[in-house]
């Protein structure tokens, strides 16, 4: 019998035993499945399904329509079931239907079981199990049906259980002595759920154990203020006792890794009900984002910041929506401060967007999403799951906005879709369409800030085929000119980096150097440390193309150190081994094989060559038979070149022809150099090798 896995911790989904998604047809089919999953193997009568699906206004043929939906689901879930054979999964019983999925095959049931099982586990085991359980969450439970009455109770129950798991994991981390990790988790937790007293108490305790007494006391003061102003209640005894214990440095607050201490609360006290995410103000980005080292009280900049943030905190009400927008704007600035800032900005931005959506104001959500117009030059997402959630939020908001809403707000949402949908070409075109619409709106509105943001989105979507470096150079030139004219220095840097990449693609390293120098000068003037990652790698690329291979290898290894702590996992993982592999191809050297190499996201296209180098030809043939086309991004030509060389070695003629068609438009470019980071040599050389292998005499 086919095994089907069901997922409700996020959008409702199903997968077969190989992990492949099962197509669940339309939204009504998915709604029927969700309703049956909520019933937990119990029968849901057909009249109840009709009532829930149409909320009291069903069509005349509603019962027949439900049966059609069920039949469609059965075909999707059990495609090999013989006709006229009763379903063993989605069964008809009495007056309705039931989904007889085993609890172990539903992610929510597995999550519940794991959380319950951790109650009596030692801290180390509890952390491991809870981490695995929390990783099951892909988004809010039953995310597709947030507005449905029949899903609300189950969504709330699962959300509460998740909050319990987060806090229980933090308690276990504290018991292990990992206070810094606990503080990082709890910081985001209280930002989203500010009414949970036990979470505030845990965060204060974690900060105290990190040696941050002042931050711990500040957290407790914030909790007291929130409870007084918005619930009209005084803090409970735990918060008050913890504050007094911190002030007198009570011994039990720092008991060591084997004893969590008597003031660690358990998960049995959930505190007041959670009305939704908070509106965290920009004056307090959270204790997990310490930022630069404290310059001391004599630093005028520090004094100005402290006074301004204190004024903001006192003048703007805690629940004011202004705070939510200000948080998103602050995260935009934080993202360009360095690796830690970029990681924190991504995390807090996601929380702000989720909070805005839960408030149910699409215009507010549009502003919170659209204000984060951070320049993006790398075409592979650092956090694909979060990017998908942001795109989903932007698309939902576009649908919810009323006619007559600001065209600029819509354009910013469209630009967000384009920027965050990286690497979706050539298969998907929605983001490309969104980019063009955003640029058209920005030109019509004559809005320079919006125009550079929209052009950034268009840059991210110029990969429908190879060989488009010249088009990207035009986009980079316009971004540079508009940004310089309007004082938008972060986008001026972006324009130079895009032009650097385009000139590298055509081997014009003199022009590329000019743009690298201009980007470095702007970065130094405006304190933008992440720019050096790209200019350092550019210089390593130039060295690799002009110097002996051993010199190029040393340059790449040195450049790789610039990625440490940069906060860009979408760029970092697998980049060095890919650069070294391409270097060997460029110089005609044999490929070396190390089975322990972490190729990161590039493994499907790099691995066949290394298997061939190991003498595992049949494994390489099998892998090539199912390898996907490279995604449309800055490494498109490089990855196709790797596939071309592997296809030639195993005489995979269909794949050779695919590679030939893909690479031909880039004949005059260096494969991969459009990234500004690496190259596998002239595309023409790979095309010539393909032509020779495909020639009649070669068959």
């Amino acid at each position: 019998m086919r095994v089907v896995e069901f997922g409700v911790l996020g959008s409702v989904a199903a997968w077969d035993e190989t992990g492949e998604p099962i197509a669940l047809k339309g939204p009504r089919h998915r709604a029927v499945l969700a309703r049956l999953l909520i019933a937990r193997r119990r029968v849901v009568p057909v009249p109840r399904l009709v009532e829930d699906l149409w909320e009291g206004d069903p069509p005349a043929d509603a019962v027949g329509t439900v049966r059609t939906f069920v039949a469609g689901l059965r075909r999707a879930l059990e495609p090999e079931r013989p006709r006229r054979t009763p379903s063993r999964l989605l069964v008809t019983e009495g007056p309705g239907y039931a989904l007889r999925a085993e609890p172990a095959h539903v992610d929510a049931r597995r999550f519940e079981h794991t959380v319950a099982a951790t109650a009596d586990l030692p801290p180390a085991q509890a952390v491991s199990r809870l981490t695995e359980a929390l990783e099951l969450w892909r988004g809010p439970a039953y995310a597709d049906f947030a507005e449905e009455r029949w899903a609300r109770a189950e969504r709330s129950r699962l959300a509460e259980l998740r909050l319990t798991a987060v806090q229980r994991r933090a308690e276990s981390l504290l018991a292990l002595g990992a206070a810094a990790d606990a503080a990082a988790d709890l910081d985001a937790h209280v930002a989203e759920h500010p009414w949970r007293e036990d979470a505030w108490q845990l965060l204060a305790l974690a900060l105290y154990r990190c040696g941050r007494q002042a931050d711990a006391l500040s957290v407790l003061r914030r909790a007291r203020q929130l409870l007084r102003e918005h619930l009209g209640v005084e803090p409970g005894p735990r918060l008050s006792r913890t504050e007094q214990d911190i002030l007198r440095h009570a011994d039990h607050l720092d008991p060591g890794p084997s004893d969590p201490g008597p003031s660690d609360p358990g998960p049995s006290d959930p505190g007041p009900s959670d009305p939704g995410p908070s509106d965290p103000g920009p004056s307090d980005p959270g204790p997990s984002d310490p930022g630069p080292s404290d310059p001391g009280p004599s630093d005028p900049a520090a004094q100005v910041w402290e006074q301004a943030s204190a004024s903001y905190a006192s003048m703007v009400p805690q629940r004011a929506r202004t705070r939510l927008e200000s948080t998103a704007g602050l995260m935009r600035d934080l993202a360009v401060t360095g690796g830690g800032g970029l990681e924190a900005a991504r995390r807090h931005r996601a929380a702000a967007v989720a909070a805005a959506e839960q408030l149910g104001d699409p215009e507010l959500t549009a502003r919170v999403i659209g204000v984060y117009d951070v320049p993006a030059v790398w075409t592979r997402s650092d956090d694909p799951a979060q990017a998908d959630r942001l795109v989903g939020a932007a698309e939902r908001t576009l649908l919810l906005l009323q006619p007559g809403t600001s065209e600029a707000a819509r354009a910013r949402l469209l630009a967000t879709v384009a920027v965050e949908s990286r690497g979706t070409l050539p298969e998907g075109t929605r983001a490309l369409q969104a980019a063009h619409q955003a640029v058209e709106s920005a030109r019509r509105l004559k809005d320079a800030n919006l125009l550079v943001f929209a052009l950034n989105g268009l840059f991210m979507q110029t990969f429908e085929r190879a060989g488009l470096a010249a088009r990207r150079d035009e986009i980079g030139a316009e971004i540079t000119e508009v940004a310089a004219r309007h004082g938008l220095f972060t986008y001026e840097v972006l324009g130079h980096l895009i032009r650097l990449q385009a000139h590298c693609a055509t081997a014009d390293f003199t022009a590329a150097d000019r743009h690298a120098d201009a980007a470095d000068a702007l970065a130094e003037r405006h304190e933008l440390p992440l720019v050096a990652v790209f200019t350092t790698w550019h210089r390593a690329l130039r060295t690799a193309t002009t110097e002996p291979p051993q010199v190029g290898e040393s340059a790449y290894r040195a450049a790789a150190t610039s990625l440490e702590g940069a906060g860009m996992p979408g760029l970092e993982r697998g980049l060095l081994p890919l650069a070294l592999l391409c270097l060997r191809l460029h110089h005609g050297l044999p490929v070396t094989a190390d089975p322990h190499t972490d190729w990161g996201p590039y493994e499907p296209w790099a691995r066949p060559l290394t298997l061939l180098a190991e003498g595992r030809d049949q494994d390489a043939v099998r892998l090539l038979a199912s390898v996907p086309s490279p995604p449309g991004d800055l490494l498109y030509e490089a990855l196709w070149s790797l596939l071309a060389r592997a296809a030639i070695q195993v005489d995979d003629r269909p794949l050779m022809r695919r590679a030939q068609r893909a690479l031909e438009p880039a004949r005059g470019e260096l494969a991969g150099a459009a990234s500004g980071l690496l190259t596998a040599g002239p595309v023409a050389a790979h095309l010539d090798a393909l032509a020779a292998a495909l020639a009649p005499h070669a068959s």
Side-chain angles (χ1 to χ4, degrees), residues 351-543:
V353 171
E357 280 207 285
Q358 290 197 21
L359 289 174
D361 182 343
E363 292 190 19
L364 172 68
T365 305
R367 293 194 298 271
V368 170
I369 293 173
V371 74
Y372 191 91
D373 52 0
V374 176
V377 71
W378 189 240
T379 50
R380 184 175 291 273
S381 176
D382 291 323
D383 188 339
Q386 185 187 97
D388 288 345
R389 290 194 292 272
L390 287 168
V391 170
E395 295 281 27
R396 286 192 296 273
T397 305
L398 281 166
L399 292 173
L400 292 171
L401 287 174
Q402 295 296 319
T405 303
S406 163
E407 183 180 2
R410 292 182 181 276
R412 284 187 169 273
L413 290 172
L414 291 166
T416 299
V417 170
V419 170
E420 297 296 343
S421 300
R422 312 178 196 194
T424 56
L425 287 171
E427 285 78 8
T429 59
R430 161 58 182 161
L432 178 59
Q433 295 167 351
H436 281 297
Q437 291 171 12
V439 171
E440 290 170 6
S441 290
R443 295 196 195 285
R444 187 161 49 248
L445 294 168
K446 299 181 180 179
D447 184 331
N449 296 69
L450 176 57
L451 179 57
V452 292
F453 183 28
L455 287 170
N456 195 171
L458 186 59
F459 159 73
M460 285 292 174
Q461 300 302 324
T462 51
F463 299 95
E464 60 263 40
R465 62 172 175 82
L468 293 176
R471 184 189 298 178
R472 293 193 287 275
D473 186 45
E474 293 174 359
I475 294 172
E478 184 173 6
I479 290 175
T480 304
E481 188 275 328
V482 173
R485 183 154 38 91
H486 292 273
L488 308 173
F489 59 85
T490 56
Y491 273 96
E492 190 176 356
V493 170
L494 173 68
H496 283 299
L497 292 179
I498 292 173
R499 301 202 71 189
L500 176 156
Q501 295 170 339
H503 288 298
C504 285
T506 57
D508 187 353
F509 290 107
T510 301
D513 286 345
R514 288 198 301 271
H515 290 292
D517 293 342
D520 280 335
L522 285 164
E524 182 177 1
R525 188 184 317 151
H526 298 288
E527 299 179 322
L528 304 173
L530 295 180
V531 174
V533 172
F534 295 97
T535 55
T536 298
W537 271 86
H538 154 66
R539 294 182 178 103
L541 163 62
R542 183 188 57 196
T543 299

Side-chain angles (χ1 to χ4, degrees), residues 6 8-9 37-42 102-121 129-130 132-137 141-142 153-165 168:
F6 295 96
V8 300
L9 302 181
L37 283 165
I38 285 175
R40 294 174 169 242
R41 296 170 58 90
R42 296 188 296 273
E102 294 296 327
H105 296 157
V106 182
D107 59 0
R109 304 296 297 278
R110 293 201 306 275
F111 177 74
E112 295 173 56
H113 175 77
T114 301
V115 173
T118 60
D120 300 318
L121 289 179
R129 295 291 303 280
L130 288 166
E132 292 175 6
L134 289 166
E135 286 175 350
L136 293 171
W137 287 74
Y142 295 92
E154 182 67 359
R155 279 169 49 84
S156 297
R157 186 185 70 82
L158 289 170
E160 180 63 31
L161 187 60
R162 180 182 178 278
L163 300 182
T164 297
R168 188 175 293 175

Side-chain angles (χ1 to χ4, degrees), residues 566-587:
M568 295 186 285
L571 176 63
E572 177 180 7
R573 188 161 171 246
L575 183 60
L576 177 60
L578 180 65
L580 298 179
L581 174 59
C582 288
L583 177 71
R584 300 191 73 82
L585 289 185
H586 183 199
H587 290 279

Side-chain angles (χ1 to χ4, degrees), residues 616-669:
R616 297 167 58 185
D617 292 19
Q618 290 306 310
D619 290 337
V621 168
R622 282 193 291 270
L623 187 56
L624 287 170
S626 59
V627 68
S629 297
D633 61 21
L634 286 165
L635 292 172
Y636 185 71
E637 293 90 345
L639 300 181
W640 265 118
S641 297
L642 301 187
L643 289 181
R645 292 295 176 169
I648 290 170
Q649 289 192 48
V650 301
D651 196 30
D652 185 337
R653 302 176 78 79
L655 181 55
M656 281 191 272
R657 293 189 184 94
R658 283 173 57 205
Q660 193 177 47
R661 289 193 298 271
L663 289 172
E664 184 59 42
R667 178 177 284 276
E669 297 184 7

Side-chain angles (χ1 to χ4, degrees), residues 286-321:
S288 66
D289 308 325
S293 59
D294 184 3
S298 61
D299 186 337
Q303 292 177 355
V304 170
W305 173 264
E306 183 176 348
Q307 292 167 4
S309 60
S311 296
Y312 189 97
S314 64
M315 297 301 294
V316 181
Q318 286 279 348
R319 288 292 290 176
R321 298 183 179 206

